[in-house]
Amino acid sequence: MRSRAFLPFLLLLSSFLTAQDNTSASTERLTGDTPEKTVLGNPFVAPKDWTVRVKGTATILEAPEGDTWIALVDVQNVKTADEALAAAWKAYKPTAKWPVKVTNDLPDKDGWSKRRVYEYQTSPNEKRGVAALAYYSGTAWTVVIEDVSDATGEKRGGQAAVIFDRLLPKGYSRESFAGKQANKLDAARIAELTRFIELGIKETGVPGVSLGLVQDGKVIYADGFGVKKLGDPAKPDGDTLFIIASNTKAMTTLLLAKLVDQHKLTWDTPVTQLFPSFKLGDAATTRSVLVKHLICACTGMPRQDMEWIFEFGKMTPESSMTLLGTMQPTSKFGELFQYSNLMAAAAGYTAAHVVNPNEELGKGYDDAVQFYVFGPLGMTSTTLDFKRALATNHSEAHSPDVDGKPALAPMSINYSVIPLRPAGGAWSSVRDMLKYISMELAEGKLPDGSTYISKEPLLERRAPQVAIGKDETYGMGLMVDTTYGVPVVHHGGDLIGHHSDMIWLPQQNVGAVVLTNGDPGWLIRSRFQRKLLEVLFDGRHEADAQLEADAKRFYAQLAAERKLMTIPADKTQAAKLAKHYNNPSLGDIDVSQSGAATIFDFGEWKSEMSSRQNPDGTISFLTIEPGMEGSEFVVGPNTTLVMRDAQHEYVFQSK
């Protein structure tokens, strides 16, 4: 789960084009990822099953659904990004009228300079967005216009990343560290990494961060920066607990690997043989799911988080598995990267059923992961017990409020992950996480030289199951990134006010853990990977500027959204709301007034609402609770409220 997360640029974007604008001169669908060039010869890769056509100076890629386009437009003889953008729209779709919501300059990267991003305001009922990115190299601009429907953008995000992973200026070669000797992380290099963390705290406003580093089997750093809680001077350290969120997934697949090592199952065992009640909404997909597919993000099952975020008070591990039975795939098995927390939870509960078939699923998982993972690795502080974590040395959750000021975020919403805890419910510290990473780097050996797990089932978790882009793959709860020529194994974790990453370079025997206690902590942890590579290999200094630009963009977006909102919510529009709403999947909303404020109470949590008039004249009500800002309810006909994620729509009827 993410809260107002920094999604990849390509997933934030889209505009509306008619079929007439996009049906002429189409090529046949590509049968595989295919090297292509823009009109002026800038290389990129076109994804499998997409089509490519050229319209003047625009190279237009179309997704198989026919509702999503990415245009790469070369522009000459203009001086500024704004002029290049205007020329690009004229070449691609001159009738586009969406207003620009926010613009930001970005640092030079991969041979491109003068980079500038533009995000536009669309209406939620369009189920689309729009943005553009202007690049400059040599004597010409290349402008990317992304026109992506919400549904296609989410399920084909990995394919869209294929385009951008290799979009480079003509004749340019990306920096590579392949074959280079890694530096020793001495005091000066560690100081450079800690300085980067301090920069991140300053730029992003995240209150606290803990950092851990290991090299050649030795922990060389484990400490914290900032504060554990706003208003309290106590700083985090190497033993402070943070929610590691989706980094729990790797612990779950490690549990499965231990069971493979003990011959209690194989990666190719059908899940229904081990866990007979396992069921998806599609029978063919259910039959196809093997153990290795449970956290491969490759089954075609879409992200479907709203039910457990809004109804977690009524959810149990058993009912979360029942929810799986309502899910339908939106892509073919093995075709696309689609991240599913519910499927990952099923992985842990399958292991629990194998180990403890007579126990309740939650307790069975807790006992199994403690016995097979946390205990043997010496992760004595790591726990799935929120009460235990909150009673000891822990970090609080934080998020900027709707005006961009630092605030405590409601921890209660993070309790939503408990019924799905194999997917993201663990608390841990950098010292404990370094014990886990050290075992991964040692390929299954413990510090005393004994074998914890055989090499084969351990490393199988890193084997590619599905592509995320051209340079990154997803295995089983682990990603492998080769953008800069050396394999980097990692995974991120995101819940409200807690964002983490674990990173290791198997060939260099180096690992790192970054744990943060605030939104937008994902900016720090995601850019730290690049910073670590720079320090290890004396790479170009890019990470600092990227992080600074990320932070500016985050707060510019927040300010732009705030400018469109009315707070307190418009009194006239609020008066038209019913007092009670219900959706069969997401439960009840009770609407009330507290002074001038309009409150939506969802049962498990509540928020004051803002209102916004959309470009098409519709009205939206949006939550403004720190960490959960932006949950949107569009006023529909007959006093209904409509909520959407990228691939689902939930209609609340008035009661």
Side-chain angles (χ1 to χ4, degrees):
M1 171 185 168
R2 294 175 183 266
S3 59
R4 205 174 58 214
F6 183 74
L7 299 175
F9 174 72
L10 57 100
L11 295 180
L12 293 172
L13 317 172
S14 62
S15 70
F16 180 81
L17 296 178
T18 66
Q20 182 180 358
D21 293 319
N22 289 281
T23 54
S24 62
S26 292
T27 67
E28 293 183 359
R29 287 189 181 183
L30 300 173
T31 58
D33 292 351
T34 305
E36 297 278 358
K37 293 181 180 180
T38 67
V39 171
L40 291 181
N42 299 314
F44 67 95
V45 176
K48 179 180 182 292
D49 294 328
W50 289 50
T51 61
V52 183
R53 69 184 180 95
V54 176
K55 176 185 175 185
T57 59
T59 303
I60 303 170
L61 296 96
E62 180 179 338
E65 289 77 6
D67 62 0
T68 289
W69 300 269
I70 296 176
L72 311 177
V73 189
D74 290 326
V75 179
Q76 295 177 293
N77 303 318
V78 300
K79 294 182 178 181
T80 69
D82 290 353
E83 291 174 311
L85 178 71
W89 275 113
K90 185 176 180 181
Y92 175 56
K93 183 176 176 59
T95 58
K97 301 295 183 183
W98 292 270
V100 174
K101 183 168 63 175
V102 62
T103 65
N104 292 98
D105 291 322
L106 302 178
D108 296 353
K109 189 174 186 291
D110 287 337
W112 299 108
S113 63
K114 303 180 184 179
R115 299 196 307 148
R116 187 167 178 81
V117 62
Y118 303 79
E119 297 177 34
Y120 295 79
Q121 184 186 3
T122 60
S123 296
N125 286 344
E126 294 179 70
K127 304 176 187 179
R128 309 177 69 83
V130 59
L133 180 62
Y135 301 87
Y136 185 80
S137 179
T139 60
W141 297 83
T142 294
V143 179
V144 179
I145 298 175
E146 297 188 347
D147 173 16
V148 183
S149 78
D150 292 342
T152 301
E154 183 178 77
K155 72 178 183 178
R156 294 195 180 272
Q159 284 195 317
V162 167
I163 303 168
F164 296 100
D165 283 350
R166 301 291 177 87
L167 177 59
L168 300 169
K170 181 180 180 180
Y172 178 85
S173 295
R174 176 180 284 145
E175 182 178 37
S176 174
F177 305 125
K180 292 189 176 181
Q181 182 72 31
N183 293 307
K184 194 76 173 177
L185 292 177
D186 57 18
R189 294 182 189 278
I190 293 172
E192 178 64 11
L193 293 173
T194 60
R195 184 200 60 77
F196 180 80
I197 296 296
E198 291 171 333
L199 172 70
I201 289 175
K202 176 185 175 184
E203 294 294 325
T204 66
V206 168
V209 180
S210 283
L211 171 67
L213 300 168
V214 62
Q215 187 172 35
D216 297 329
K218 295 181 180 179
V219 174
I220 56 176
Y221 192 86
D223 205 354
F225 308 83
V227 298
K228 292 189 288 186
K229 181 181 180 180
L230 286 173
D232 186 330
K235 80 175 189 69
D237 57 29
D239 297 308
T240 301
L241 294 179
F242 297 72
I243 303 174
I244 63 170
S246 287
N247 283 309
T248 311
K249 291 178 171 69
M251 311 301 164
T252 295
T253 60
L254 181 56
L255 167 60
L256 287 168
K258 284 289 290 182
L259 300 182
V260 170
D261 203 23
Q262 294 181 352
H263 307 293
K264 295 183 177 180
L265 52 85
T266 74
W267 293 121
D268 294 318
T269 303
V271 174
T272 52
Q273 287 186 17
L274 304 170
F275 192 16
S277 62
F278 174 79
K279 181 183 178 182
L280 302 174
D282 179 78
T285 306
T286 302
R287 291 191 298 270
S288 300
V289 176
L290 310 178
V291 169
K292 65 184 179 184
H293 297 139
L294 287 168
I295 314 187
C296 70
C298 65
T299 61
M301 304 305 291
R303 180 183 283 271
Q304 188 169 325
D305 294 336
M306 292 300 181
E307 283 88 344
W308 57 271
I309 294 172
F310 282 88
E311 285 287 89
F312 63 86
K314 300 176 183 177
M315 189 168 287
T316 65
E318 286 76 13
S319 67
S320 72
M321 295 301 93
T322 300
L323 181 58
L324 271 177
T326 69
M327 293 175 61
Q328 298 289 338
T330 58
S331 58
K332 295 178 182 178
F333 196 92
E335 179 185 30
L336 300 173
F337 172 77
Q338 294 211 68
Y339 195 80
S340 171
N341 285 303
L342 285 164
M343 286 291 289
Y349 294 141
T350 297
H353 189 74
V354 170
V355 176
N356 301 303
N358 297 319
E359 283 193 356
E360 180 268 331
L361 288 177
K363 186 177 187 306
Y365 174 77
D366 298 346
D367 291 346
V369 78
Q370 178 64 43
F371 181 81
Y372 284 98
V373 179
F374 302 155
L377 295 182
M379 300 173 70
T380 55
S381 297
T382 304
T383 182
L384 293 148
D385 186 336
F386 273 52
K387 184 177 180 181
R388 174 189 163 192
L390 294 170
T392 187
N393 175 10
H394 73 282
S395 197
E396 298 288 347
H398 302 83
S399 184
D401 66 17
V402 71
D403 294 310
K405 298 176 181 177
L408 280 167
M411 177 58 72
S412 59
I413 302 175
N414 284 328
Y415 282 76
S416 62
V417 79
I418 293 175
L420 288 80
R421 51 192 176 275
W427 292 74
S428 193
S429 66
V430 295
R431 287 194 190 277
D432 269 14
M433 293 295 289
L434 288 176
K435 294 175 183 177
Y436 163 76
I437 287 178
S438 295
M439 181 278 300
E440 290 273 9
L441 287 170
E443 297 186 338
K445 300 288 187 181
L446 295 177
D448 64 4
S450 63
T451 298
Y452 162 69
I453 187 173
S454 299
K455 178 179 176 179
E456 291 74 16
L458 178 76
L459 298 188
E460 186 67 21
R461 297 156 56 249
R462 307 178 197 174
Q465 299 290 336
V466 68
I468 300 176
K470 201 62 185 171
D471 300 307
E472 191 167 19
T473 59
Y474 200 86
M476 290 182 256
L478 293 172
M479 304 176 186
V480 180
D481 189 336
T482 57
T483 300
Y484 296 104
V486 294
V488 180
V489 186
H490 73 106
H491 204 284
D494 303 281
L495 276 169
I496 306 301
H498 284 267
H499 304 273
S500 61
D501 217 325
M502 57 181 186
I503 305 162
W504 64 92
L505 285 70
Q507 296 175 357
Q508 287 72 32
N509 204 14
V510 173
V513 178
V514 179
L515 306 177
T516 76
N517 69 357
D519 303 330
W522 62 85
L523 301 180
I524 299 173
R525 59 96 162 162
S526 62
R527 293 302 184 188
F528 184 83
Q529 180 176 320
R530 169 66 198 186
K531 187 65 181 181
L532 181 61
L533 292 174
E534 291 175 10
V535 170
L536 282 172
F537 298 105
D538 294 323
R540 299 187 189 118
H541 295 287
E542 297 179 353
D544 289 40
Q546 290 170 355
L547 180 57
E548 291 169 355
D550 289 344
K552 287 183 175 67
R553 183 179 176 194
F554 172 82
Y555 283 101
Q557 289 170 328
L558 188 62
E561 293 288 352
R562 175 65 180 90
K563 188 176 180 180
L564 297 172
M565 295 179 186
T566 299
I567 305 175
D570 182 89
K571 183 186 298 186
T572 301
Q573 298 298 333
K576 298 176 184 178
L577 295 170
K579 297 299 182 185
H580 305 284
Y581 290 88
N582 176 266
N583 174 269
S585 298
L586 303 190
D588 295 325
I589 303 175
D590 292 331
V591 180
S592 63
Q593 299 296 130
S594 178
T598 299
I599 309 297
F600 278 20
D601 189 333
F602 307 105
E604 286 73 14
W605 58 284
K606 62 184 177 181
S607 175
E608 182 182 351
M609 308 300 288
S610 66
S611 60
R612 184 188 67 209
Q613 182 166 328
N614 301 310
D616 64 359
T618 57
I619 301 296
S620 292
F621 287 87
L622 302 99
T623 57
I624 62 171
E625 182 72 12
M628 286 299 290
E629 298 99 324
S631 294
E632 183 170 10
F633 300 82
V634 184
V635 178
N638 303 316
T639 324
T640 57
L641 294 174
V642 180
M643 187 181 194
R644 302 181 177 98
D645 65 15
Q647 299 188 62
H648 305 90
E649 181 170 285
Y650 305 90
V651 178
F652 286 82
Q653 303 286 347
S654 59
K655 293 174 62 178

